[in-house]
Amino acid sequence: MIRRSFSVVGIMLTFILVFQACKTDEITTVKTATITALTCSSATFSATATSGASYTGTATVPYTGGNGVEYAAGTAVASSGVTGLTATLSAGVLATGAGTANFVITGTPTTSGTANFSIDLGGQNCTLSLPVAVSKASISTLICTVAPAIGTNGTAYNGTVTMAYTGGNGGTYDVSTASSTGVTGLTATVAAGKLANGAGNLTYTISGTPTSSGTAIFNLSLGGQSCTVTLAIAAGTSGTATAAKDTVVIAYSGTSASINNPYASSGVAVAVSGADVTVTSTNTTKEIVYLLSGTATKGSFKIYSEYRFNITMKGVSLTNSAGPAINIQSSKKGTINILAGTTNNLTDGATYATSKEDQKGTFFSEGQLSFMGTGTLNVTGLNKHAIVADDYIAISEANIVVKSAVSDGIHANDYFQMDNGTVNITSSSDGIVAEEGYVAINGGTITVNSVDDGIVAPYEGTDATITPYVLIKGGKISVTTTGDKGNAIKSESYMTIGTADAITLTVSGKGSKGIKTGGDFTLTAGTIKITTSGAAYYDTEDKDIAAPAGINCDKNLAIRGGSLTITSTGIGAKGINIDGTATVSGGTTNITASGAKYTYSSTMTSEAKGFKSDGAFVMNNGELTISATDDGLKSGASITVNDGTINVTKSYEGMESIIITINGGVSNLLASNDGLNTSYGTVTGGTEANDNSSLTVNGGVLIVGGSDGIDSNGNLYIKGGTTIVSGNEGIDINGNFIVSGGTLIAGGPNSNMTKSIGAASTQVGMFIKSSASLPATSIIHIEDAAGKDLVTFKPRIATSIFHFSNPSLAKNTAYKIYFGGAYTGGSFVGNSSGWGLYTGGTYSNTGATLKSSPTTSASATVNALTF
């Protein structure tokens, strides 16, 4: 009986154990989340993505065959096709059967098209495709400001980011959202709208609850431009400061450093040797913040990172006698946040320890550097560059002081861009260099004191994808260079300046230049002041003369606006020297080139010319004033004046070219030799042969004073406008002298080379020779028989030979010619100073001498008169 009972009990125990084993197996199996299908093609998106605009949205993706099990958040999946976005699975619980899962997509799409994400859930995979629309909005510059600037950990935050922009194209834009990094839990959103045409403001609304104390970072993009803003998050009411969960805290103290690393188990290793800190990060899901503070007299910060990161500088001072103070051995973007109210200092050593890695300066990065924050960063470069990146360098807002640099102050391998803040550089070589890229300055203040180039895009290689230009849309810039052949601002390609701020360039080295371009130069706005004091010299390496210049352009120049002042005082220094064409369409340009002539040999000289272009010069509008030791305005091809004002107040030759055409405007030229000269080139010993160069006056006002007022080795055609000339030889012409319209009054004392108006002229004229010279203090007046004033002219020097033609002159008509008298009221045509053609007043012949009362020929258009 007892045995039987034990047998029953044993059978029951065996059954229970088997049942429990099966139950355990069942529980273990259902812990893994599984689905049978993931349907990306049926996914929906919470927001529309647009190229170049910050995006935060949720993709809801259907699935089937869910087994009801909980699943964890996934890792970030980078987009392909259209890049710049990541998709991250949100944690959740599978439905039993059909359901949906959420993937959060963040970032800024780089282009339009389709962003593809290879996503996984419950053992299934599919490609999630997010359409990215073409942006209709475009802006030129962007400055962002957050308010209020401080939030509190655990407390709901409500604030704004004001995005001030210029260059809006009036295009529409969709809603744009960006989530915070560093301190998470916050979202910045701008509602859909329409840009202004030109300048305007957009407002992002920030909402949410900060998850920790520290710094919340927003990367905002819209209309092709980006800005980064920070929001300081204070500790809660308990007063205990909690580091942001994305922050690795590094505190330096003398020869040591302490570390607080919440990512020690998540791919971030921090090694410390004395005060030398080395970070190795394999984390690819978060933009981790490395908060640096304290002082190390012999220390450094070095980082290897597989994902973009943030270095926040909170009053840190590092001196590394054996290498860079900050050494970024990562190709990923590093955002450098210089906290408001802090001063940070970096100094390297004059000699670096041997390394197989690049280490080119005090603050070195293999990847992109983006500076932000309103604190101060002082950098001293004792070995080479002060701040250097093997990618681009962008400054959105910072106060950077390069106290000294053995080589360049800031050196980017790719482009350099600055939107706001201040940069102050003292360098023994160049100031700011974009080695294989461009320079774009949109705002802020830049001060450079360098030996060589101040700001330069120097690439001269063969890669057609690189355009080494300089573009200045804003910002106050001051550059001083002292070395031989130094350039304040230089680009190997084109340069464009259009800013409301002031630019001051001072160069003093031999052969130095204020602005130097290998391509075109365009000025649209700004107040530009260029001073050169260096002399020309013979460069033995180039086997040529290196001549200083305010602006030297290898291709074409266009001045469309702004105020440009150039002062060149060195021997052989020029104001503006252009290899191509030059066009002035607006603005005010003042040029002084006062140096003496530089002579290296009888065939190699450099003269102090005001404005010289090898190609055509065209004046469409604006004002150009020149004072020069040698030529005022010279073109190797042609000069055309359509409108505007040209004042040459001092020169050897005022205006010189092969073909000169005056269609409008006012040209007032004063020279010690030829006031205006047309010629194909100087012939030794001189010649009276017609070389077919020409001066044509179709309109406007031309005022010329010189030894020869007008000297054409070819032809002179006056078809309209007003031509006023005074010279030792008023008009010296080798070819045809034809007057068919307009007003001509010219005078001079020397008849040796003064020619009469050509007989083929169709408008009546007078060629007057007086035996008694008219003093420069007197006037010549011609009127008709009724007393109507045809011309009242005050010569610049004593004059006895005159040319006069006017549409009012008629054949077979009586006139009176007076020397002397008085003219009251009125002024000189073209605002010439002290001499010229009177207008707007009244002539009185009281005290005058009636020199002649001629009657013009009934047949000939040219009347030769003597008295």
Side-chain angles (χ1 to χ4, degrees), residues 665-692:
V666 177
S667 300
N668 196 330
L669 316 173
L670 185 62
S672 59
N673 189 33
D674 298 337
L676 185 150
N677 176 247
T678 66
S679 173
Y680 272 92
T682 302
V683 176
T684 302
T687 177
E688 289 296 301
N690 181 1
D691 68 359
N692 287 316

Side-chain angles (χ1 to χ4, degrees), residues 125-136:
N125 175 273
C126 65
T127 300
L128 178 64
S129 297
L130 170 67
V132 179
V134 177
S135 175
K136 297 179 181 178

Side-chain angles (χ1 to χ4, degrees), residues 624-649:
L624 173 61
T625 301
I626 300 171
S627 173
T629 303
D630 195 67
D631 297 338
L633 173 59
K634 181 174 182 176
S635 166
S638 64
I639 294 174
T640 302
V641 182
N642 295 316
D643 205 346
T645 301
I646 298 176
N647 294 307
V648 177
T649 61

Side-chain angles (χ1 to χ4, degrees), residues 504-559:
T504 303
L505 310 177
T506 305
V507 295
S508 57
K510 293 187 296 183
S512 57
K513 297 167 179 67
I515 290 175
K516 176 73 175 77
T517 70
D520 296 343
F521 173 75
T522 303
L523 173 63
T524 61
T527 301
I528 320 299
K529 182 178 180 181
I530 303 174
T531 303
T532 76
S533 57
Y537 76 104
Y538 182 76
D539 188 327
T540 55
E541 182 178 345
D542 294 341
K543 293 181 172 54
D544 199 0
I545 292 174
I551 297 176
N552 183 277
C553 176
D554 288 350
K555 289 190 177 179
N556 306 314
L557 173 141
I559 299 175

Side-chain angles (χ1 to χ4, degrees), residues 573-597:
K574 295 170 174 59
I576 296 179
N577 192 14
I578 310 300
D579 288 350
T581 63
T583 304
V584 179
S585 300
T588 301
T589 302
N590 292 280
I591 300 171
T592 301
S594 59
K597 179 179 179 179

Side-chain angles (χ1 to χ4, degrees), residues 185-503:
L186 299 169
T187 302
T189 303
V190 65
K194 183 177 181 180
L195 293 174
N197 284 304
N201 292 289
L202 299 178
T203 300
Y204 279 76
T205 300
I206 302 178
S207 60
T209 301
T211 57
S212 61
S213 61
T215 303
I217 303 166
F218 297 90
N219 296 307
L220 307 177
S221 300
L222 190 72
Q225 299 295 327
S226 301
C227 63
T228 302
V229 295
T230 59
L231 174 63
I233 306 299
T237 55
S238 64
T240 302
T242 304
K245 67 179 183 180
D246 290 340
T247 301
V248 175
V249 179
I250 302 169
Y252 291 91
S253 179
T255 57
S256 63
S258 60
I259 310 297
N260 181 358
N261 180 14
Y263 274 85
S265 60
S266 301
V268 179
V270 183
V272 181
S273 176
D276 292 322
V277 177
T278 301
V279 173
T280 303
S281 174
T282 58
N283 189 303
T284 59
T285 62
K286 292 289 185 181
E287 184 172 331
I288 296 172
V289 177
Y290 299 92
L291 178 63
L292 310 184
S293 64
T295 299
T297 54
K298 187 179 180 181
S300 63
F301 177 79
K302 185 176 186 179
I303 181 170
Y304 302 87
S305 180
E306 296 179 12
Y307 196 71
R308 62 180 184 264
F309 55 90
N310 178 295
I311 297 176
T312 297
M313 307 183 78
K314 187 180 180 182
V316 64
S317 293
L318 298 177
T319 299
N320 182 11
S321 60
I326 292 183
N327 189 348
I328 300 173
Q329 293 294 320
S330 169
S331 62
K332 304 302 180 181
K333 177 183 177 182
T335 298
I336 314 303
N337 182 13
I338 306 170
L339 290 181
T342 68
T343 298
N344 305 269
N345 300 282
L346 302 175
T347 304
D348 67 349
T351 303
Y352 286 4
T354 302
S355 173
K356 294 181 180 180
E357 297 175 335
D358 283 345
Q359 42 182 21
K360 301 172 183 176
T362 310
F363 193 137
F364 172 72
S365 177
E366 289 280 1
Q368 311 100 22
L369 285 178
S370 178
F371 288 91
M372 56 182 290
T374 58
T376 298
L377 172 61
N378 297 316
V379 184
T380 301
L382 300 178
N383 179 270
K384 194 175 182 182
H385 308 309
I387 299 174
V388 53
D390 278 346
D391 209 295
Y392 69 75
I393 295 177
I395 300 173
S396 60
E397 186 181 31
N399 178 26
I400 297 175
V401 180
V402 175
K403 302 181 77 172
S404 68
V406 171
S407 188
D408 303 335
I410 295 178
H411 186 108
N413 186 71
D414 293 338
Y415 68 80
F416 171 86
Q417 178 170 316
M418 182 169 174
D419 296 320
N420 205 352
T422 62
V423 170
N424 194 319
I425 296 173
T426 300
S427 167
S428 298
S429 183
D430 298 332
I432 296 172
V433 179
E435 183 177 347
E436 296 184 358
Y438 60 85
V439 174
I441 301 171
N442 300 315
T445 300
I446 296 176
T447 303
V448 174
N449 287 276
S450 64
V451 173
D452 297 324
D453 297 333
I455 300 171
V456 57
Y459 182 71
E460 298 183 78
T462 59
D463 189 341
T465 65
I466 299 174
T467 305
Y469 64 82
V470 172
L471 176 60
I472 301 175
K473 294 183 178 180
K476 182 179 179 181
I477 300 172
S478 177
V479 177
T480 301
T481 68
T482 58
D484 293 349
K485 298 181 74 172
N487 306 286
I489 305 178
K490 177 184 176 182
S491 66
E492 284 299 328
S493 183
Y494 69 86
M495 185 185 305
T496 300
I497 298 177
T499 172
D501 299 311
I503 297 176

